[in-house]
Every structure is written in C-alpha cells, then in structure tokens.
Amino acid sequence: MPIELKSEKELDGMRLAGHLNSEVRSILMKAIEPGISGRELDDLATYEIEKRGGTVTFRGYAPGGKPPFPGAICYSVNEELVHGIPGDRSLEAGDIVSIDMGVTYDGWVSDAAFTMPVGEVSDVANALINTTREALLCGIESARIGNRLGDISNAIENCSQGYGIVRGYGGHGIGREMHEQPHIPNHGRKGSGIELRQGMVFALEPMLAIGNPETVELQDQWTVVMRDGSLGAHWEETVAITSEGPEVLTQIIE
Ligand code: MG
C-alpha cells in the first residue's frame, strides 16, 4: 500500500520538498540553451539544491545491483527517453531534452521531470512534448479521493492522442523514499486497482513516443532509449491527494 500522510504537518514536509524541486527546476529551465552540457546542468542542480538545504536524491541510487547513478539529474536528449547520465554531451538547437530530478528535504522526497525544446524544434517535436504534458495533467485531474488507481492510468492513456505509450516504466508512490508502492502504469482500466485515499502521494510520469514505444537500456545500465531511435518525451509531477482535490507539490514556478 502507498504511504498515507497522517497530518497537515507531514503534508507540509512534502510541500517543502516539492517547492524546493520546483525552484531548482525553474533555474534549470532558464539555463537550457544550445551549448550547455549535461554535466553543467548537473552541477547547477546540485549547487542550487544544496544551497537551499536539500539533498540530491538520485546520486548514488543503485537499485537491483545497478551501478550507483552518478548524477543529481537524469539528462535525456532526443531518442534518449529517461535515466540518461549527465556527461559531456552538449545540447544543440533543435534537440529536445528531458530533465528528471529528485530532491530530499528534511526526510521527504519529491520527484519531477520535464521535457523542453532547445531553441527552435520541429512542430512534431513540440506536439509530442505538449501532449505528454497534457497526459500528465489528465492523470493529475483523476488523482481524487474515491477514484481508483486505474482511473489515473486510464486518464493518461486516454489523453495520449495516439502516441506510443511506453510500457515498463511509470509512476510510483513517493514520500519517505523516492520509489514506494504502488507502480502506476501509464495505461489501464477505469475502476481497477486500489481506492485512492486522502494523504496518498504519487509521482505521476507519462512517457510518450512518436514512433514505436519499445525501449532499450544502454550498456551503462541506466540510459533508456527508444529502440527505433525516434523521439520520446517525459513529464512528471509529485501529487498529493487532499480533501480539496489533487495538489501538485512540484508545481512549475514561472
Ligand atoms: Mg519518478
């Protein structure tokens, strides 16, 4: 079962972790331009998180015998979908880049990701990015008391507008740990799965592809790329289920 926050104080803990994530995400969004490398964005994220008293969640993460993840962010360009390692690869005009980042603050964890164009990109790339974001918003809208987990998955699927939905990766419970139960697929049947209750917190994260949604993991054991080399996009927010409805804890700060 997922974590259920028991008090307003616990919800406030998650809000602070989410807000810190949002602040640093805004800084990263403004820094993205042709010529900047993954390593530079990673250094910037680390600096800005630690300056605010947070800690980087991803660095050192090593599930299931994988090598420890070396970065503060996942940096995935074009055909790379998720879990890219930030290194020397620099962005070029016309690329799309996905940045995924976890922040821990006072023992609470937030997780959020965005995909954005670098300079001018094709209409096809823009449409993929926008639809993936809209699919996320559909999922968030369904994160309500009394709904079921499958309603979130189904809403994401229904808003995916015929793009390939990546299987095998998806959302998750989050709270004291980055990855908690349950796994949340980006496709599913309405009315299926656990009932959603006040205080549950989920990271929702649709991943859509222009082409075939099959993925491959590279030899670095982290980077996930589209098997056919086409573009993939990824958006993620951490969302709490409250009596007032879904509350996005990692809301983008414009
Ligand atoms: Mg996540």
Side-chain angles (χ1 to χ4, degrees):
M1 288 298 282
I3 191 171
E4 288 180 38
L5 302 177
K6 287 170 205 67
S7 65
E8 196 68 15
K9 187 162 170 280
E10 291 193 342
L11 179 56
D12 280 343
M14 282 299 292
R15 282 177 174 136
L16 287 173
H19 187 74
L20 205 162
N21 197 313
S22 306
E23 283 189 334
V24 178
R25 180 160 53 155
S26 293
I27 291 166
L28 293 176
M29 282 176 150
K30 291 191 184 95
I32 286 171
E33 60 177 14
I36 197 162
S37 71
R39 195 182 310 283
E40 287 171 301
L41 289 166
D42 193 64
D43 288 346
L44 178 63
T46 302
Y47 172 78
E48 295 293 343
I49 290 169
E50 291 178 352
K51 188 172 94 177
R52 289 168 172 76
T55 52
V56 163
T57 312
F58 290 180
R59 188 173 291 120
Y61 183 62
K66 279 180 188 283
F69 191 79
I73 59 171
C74 299
Y75 169 84
S76 310
V77 182
N78 294 340
E79 79 289 350
E80 297 171 350
L81 176 72
V82 288
H83 304 166
I85 294 174
D88 293 330
R89 182 176 181 176
S90 294
L91 296 175
E92 294 176 26
D95 286 343
I96 67 171
V97 60
S98 157
I99 306 277
D100 192 345
M101 185 172 67
V103 172
T104 305
Y105 185 79
D106 199 21
W108 297 101
V109 185
S110 63
D111 190 5
F114 62 92
T115 303
M116 70 180 268
V118 182
E120 288 284 304
V121 304
S122 66
D123 291 346
V124 170
N126 269 320
L128 172 72
I129 291 171
N130 293 336
T131 304
T132 309
R133 170 100 177 120
E134 283 159 22
L136 170 59
L137 297 177
C138 290
I140 291 169
E141 199 41 46
S142 300
R144 292 178 181 279
I145 296 169
N147 276 359
R148 293 196 173 260
L149 198 64
D151 295 331
I152 296 178
S153 301
N154 183 261
I156 291 171
E157 181 176 5
N158 280 339
C159 289
S160 296
Q161 296 186 31
Y163 285 98
I165 298 173
V166 174
R167 318 267 160 148
Y169 300 94
H172 48 93
I174 184 167
R176 292 295 191 179
E177 302 287 338
M178 171 163 60
H179 288 135
E180 299 190 2
Q181 291 298 318
H183 173 69
I184 308 173
N186 289 313
H187 57 92
R189 204 159 41 79
K190 238 175 151 28
S192 65
I194 58 163
E195 190 176 333
L196 305 184
R197 290 156 57 140
Q198 182 169 347
M200 289 180 177
V201 188
F202 300 131
L204 303 180
E205 46 182 321
M207 295 159 216
L208 300 183
I210 282 174
N212 186 315
E214 271 184 54
T215 59
V216 188
E217 189 181 273
L218 298 187
Q219 278 192 338
D220 63 21
Q221 296 185 56
W222 282 107
T223 312
V224 175
V225 302
M226 303 313 303
R227 186 185 286 278
D228 67 5
S230 65
L231 295 179
H234 174 217
W235 277 86
E236 176 178 23
E237 305 277 13
T238 299
V239 182
I241 297 176
T242 77
S243 57
E244 319 262 284
E247 179 176 332
V248 180
L249 303 174
T250 45
Q251 194 87 53
I252 290 174
I253 302 166
E254 301 289 349

